[in-house]
Amino acid sequence: LIILLIYSREVVVRMARTPIITKMQVIPVAGYDSMLMTLSGAHAPFFTRNIVILEDNLGHTGIGEIHGGDYTCDSLKSVIPLVVGQEIGRYKGILDSIHKCASKSDEDDGEGIQTLDISKLKFVVKSEWAIECALLDLLGQYLELPMCELLGNGKQRNKVETLGYLFYVSDKGKAGGNLEYLDESNSNDSWFRYRRKEILTHEDIVTEAEILHEKYGFQNFKLKGGVFEGQYEMDTIRALKKQFPNGRINIDPNGAWSLEEAIRISKPMEGILTYIEDPCGPESGYSSREIMSEFKNAVNLPVATNMIATDWRQFYHSAALKSVDIVLADPHFWGFEGSVRMAMLLNDWGLTWGSHSNNHFDITLTAFAHVAAAAPGSPTALDTHWIWQDGQNLLKDTPQIKDGYLEVPNKPGLGVEIDMNRVIEANKLYENLPSHDRDDAIAMQYLIPNWKYDSKKPALVR
Ligand code: GKR
Ligand code: MG
């Protein structure tokens, strides 16, 4: 039997025209975050991710990063036998075999994230896209081509316009020392000091944008709404526009406003906002795709989403109803090839592509740079939470954001090198956490006792 196994392995190796995957590791990791405010509550001091590392018989290493938590980690580990032993040239077949053996979790009711229930995000994210990323990294190294050259029609640009993701931030001191938020008050970097402080007023947000503009050169900003009354948040946008008259500014309340409120407060913002993201959600028996379509009929602003079109079936209905102009097709929802396929389709239809993000490390930053580099036409400035994590690098050569543009590594594959010492540290942090799933209610309850999530009430409105 042993001889037979050795023989059949030899046959596979001899027949393979591209390298064989010899090892797949799944490493859960954690990093530090600020007390960022959103409709779903307040970010915890830590966020979690899963890292995939593939090795091939040429000695190359391919990497990918995705959503954190045990569900995603276990899904990744369960498919290791479908990946190891395969040749990288068959990467589409490998992913197809994973899809075919995937089964829907009993907890997944198919609702998606149209009401921003973050416990459902793990069903919208597909763990195998971290494997797709690592496979494309290996394939790019084998072919000596940057990853963006393997996607869609290949590389469309050398750098990718990126936005400054503005958040209201609560005072971490209000958690009474029970939650271990990072203190960067001694940092030499003014952004690193500022991002861990309370940021709640219009003036605070303008200062946040000014510091970010100074450090990264952003000309595009997105304010995370769903925290205060909608009118207060629109006044923050006005203050931003006053300071950055040429800036392109967007607000995303994650569907918190009713259709009536969204129309009332957004109409006066025509000419001030560049676009608006998920202003309203499902109501009165109508889905968010129907409600957003009515919003679009009433308000003359381009509308973006990462909530109402998270797969092709939802996109079909969103497109049929003309509910959106901009689809933020996160490669971790749609896949790398799928996100670029969406970019090509939107471009052909005269619509716009962009990408959504959650907290992430620099592996995701690099991967998104390649996807956006392959998106044809004029994508909207890319979302990234990276500015809140900058400094917690898992790479030795993290791509930089300069003058508002993220560099796209011009080396084979992802074009970056993983720093295993940092990964091991981030894994230790993860292993010491009491829970691995995101729960924004815990920190919120220090601000408002017994606070509960309500998709129709901004977090600080109770
Ligand atoms: O990180 O809290 C957050 C964001 O609000 C995230 O959960 C959203 O999914 O950033 C995202 C968005 O654009 O909707
Ligand atoms: Mg959004």
Side-chain angles (χ1 to χ4, degrees):
L1 181 69
I2 291 171
I3 290 167
L4 198 66
L5 279 176
I6 293 171
Y7 174 75
S8 49
R9 196 184 139 74
E10 277 302 298
V11 171
V12 170
V13 171
R14 256 192 289 120
M15 281 173 54
R17 270 166 261 160
T18 56
I20 304 285
I21 298 151
T22 52
K23 188 171 174 192
M24 170 169 160
Q25 283 174 276
V26 181
I27 308 182
V29 288
Y32 296 92
D33 201 6
S34 298
M35 200 171 186
L36 302 180
M37 304 297 299
T38 80
L39 180 67
S40 51
H43 282 204
F46 306 100
F47 70 99
T48 62
R49 304 287 284 173
N50 283 294
I51 308 296
V52 169
I53 306 180
L54 299 181
E55 285 170 34
D56 70 19
N57 62 345
L58 286 188
H60 291 146
T61 300
I63 54 177
E65 174 195 338
I66 201 148
H67 192 71
D70 297 332
Y71 177 83
T72 304
C73 188
D74 293 346
S75 308
L76 282 166
K77 286 184 176 161
S78 71
V79 300
I80 291 176
L82 298 177
V83 179
V84 175
Q86 299 296 322
E87 65 165 303
I88 61 170
R90 267 201 72 248
Y91 77 94
K92 290 192 182 191
I94 299 173
L95 294 168
D96 193 45
S97 67
I98 295 174
H99 296 313
K100 288 195 170 131
C101 81
S103 59
K104 205 167 153 216
S105 157
D106 292 343
E107 290 168 66
D108 180 3
D109 58 8
E111 170 74 18
I113 49 167
Q114 63 166 333
T115 58
L116 196 73
D117 178 346
I118 50 172
S119 64
K120 295 189 175 147
L121 191 57
K122 59 178 179 277
F123 305 127
V124 170
V125 166
K126 301 276 177 291
S127 58
E128 58 269 28
W129 304 136
I131 302 172
E132 182 188 20
C133 182
L135 286 167
L136 286 167
D137 188 7
L138 286 179
L139 194 60
Q141 291 176 59
Y142 175 66
L143 297 172
E144 298 187 2
L145 285 171
M147 191 168 117
C148 53
E149 294 287 13
L150 309 180
L151 294 165
N153 291 334
K155 188 179 196 171
Q156 308 290 308
R157 57 191 64 79
N158 295 323
K159 55 185 184 174
V160 170
E161 195 160 23
T162 306
L163 58 74
Y165 202 160
L166 308 172
F167 279 81
Y168 296 106
V169 182
S170 267
D171 172 10
K172 56 183 184 306
K174 293 207 173 124
N178 294 308
L179 301 177
E180 295 163 53
Y181 287 97
L182 199 61
D183 180 5
E184 291 188 292
S185 49
N186 291 327
S187 170
N188 295 327
D189 185 303
S190 58
W191 167 240
F192 289 6
R193 289 196 300 278
Y194 195 75
R195 66 184 175 178
R196 307 298 178 209
K197 298 206 281 212
E198 183 182 76
I199 307 172
L200 294 177
T201 66
H202 308 316
E203 295 72 29
D204 292 343
I205 292 281
V206 171
T207 307
E208 184 181 322
E210 282 172 326
I211 296 176
L212 287 172
H213 174 72
E214 182 66 29
K215 183 170 169 71
Y216 303 99
F218 295 124
Q219 295 292 342
N220 294 266
F221 295 100
K222 155 168 155 175
L223 176 66
K224 175 54 63 178
V227 178
F228 293 101
E229 292 287 1
Q231 189 52 59
Y232 178 90
E233 297 181 348
M234 289 304 197
D235 290 343
T236 302
I237 295 287
R238 286 177 199 280
L240 279 167
K241 190 67 182 175
K242 199 165 163 211
Q243 191 60 24
F244 294 93
N246 300 321
R248 291 179 295 278
I249 303 169
N250 152 36
I251 185 166
D252 176 15
N254 285 115
W257 307 326
S258 67
L259 177 61
E260 181 281 322
E261 180 183 15
I263 294 173
R264 176 167 41 81
I265 64 177
S266 303
K267 269 197 88 55
M269 302 304 284
E270 292 171 6
I272 299 174
L273 282 167
T274 302
Y275 65 90
I276 189 160
E277 186 171 325
D278 289 307
C280 25
E283 66 183 51
S284 312
Y286 296 95
S287 84
S288 49
R289 287 165 278 279
E290 292 159 328
I291 295 295
M292 294 254 288
S293 165
E294 291 187 31
F295 175 85
K296 252 179 64 67
N297 286 339
V299 180
N300 190 18
L301 277 173
V303 176
T305 191
N306 61 274
M307 293 170 69
I308 71 165
T310 62
D311 62 31
W312 293 101
R313 183 173 166 194
Q314 292 178 2
F315 174 66
Y316 167 73
H317 292 289
S318 306
L321 289 165
K322 297 194 177 164
S323 308
V324 287
D325 306 280
I326 304 168
V327 179
L328 303 171
D330 186 331
H332 293 154
F333 296 2
W334 297 84
F336 286 65
E337 187 269 337
S339 183
V340 175
R341 183 151 44 106
M342 174 64 88
M344 296 169 87
L345 185 76
L346 293 171
N347 188 44
D348 286 343
W349 288 2
L351 298 173
T352 304
W353 177 91
S355 180
H356 148 271
S357 80
N358 281 114
N359 287 111
H360 59 83
F361 284 103
D362 42 355
I363 301 173
T364 290
L365 183 76
T366 315
F368 280 26
H370 281 282
V371 172
S378 308
T380 191
L382 202 69
D383 264 43
T384 173
H385 280 61
W386 170 247
I387 53 174
W388 297 92
Q389 270 65 57
D390 192 353
Q392 303 178 50
N393 304 355
L394 298 184
L395 298 174
K396 293 182 178 165
D397 42 6
T398 305
Q400 300 296 300
I401 303 173
K402 283 189 201 131
D403 300 325
Y405 284 81
L406 169 63
E407 66 173 305
V408 184
N410 191 24
K411 290 185 194 157
L414 267 179
V416 285
E417 194 185 340
I418 194 160
D419 184 336
M420 281 314 288
N421 291 331
R422 290 292 190 95
V423 172
I424 290 164
E425 271 172 42
N427 172 254
K428 276 192 196 139
L429 186 63
Y430 178 93
E431 297 298 350
N432 286 329
L433 295 181
S435 161
H436 299 146
D437 286 324
R438 179 172 160 190
D439 182 350
D440 291 6
I442 298 174
M444 196 64 212
Q445 284 160 0
Y446 287 99
L447 305 177
I448 300 179
N450 303 317
W451 184 92
K452 274 208 187 79
Y453 177 66
D454 181 335
S455 66
K456 284 289 157 209
K457 282 201 185 126
L460 288 175
V461 179
R462 287 293 187 277

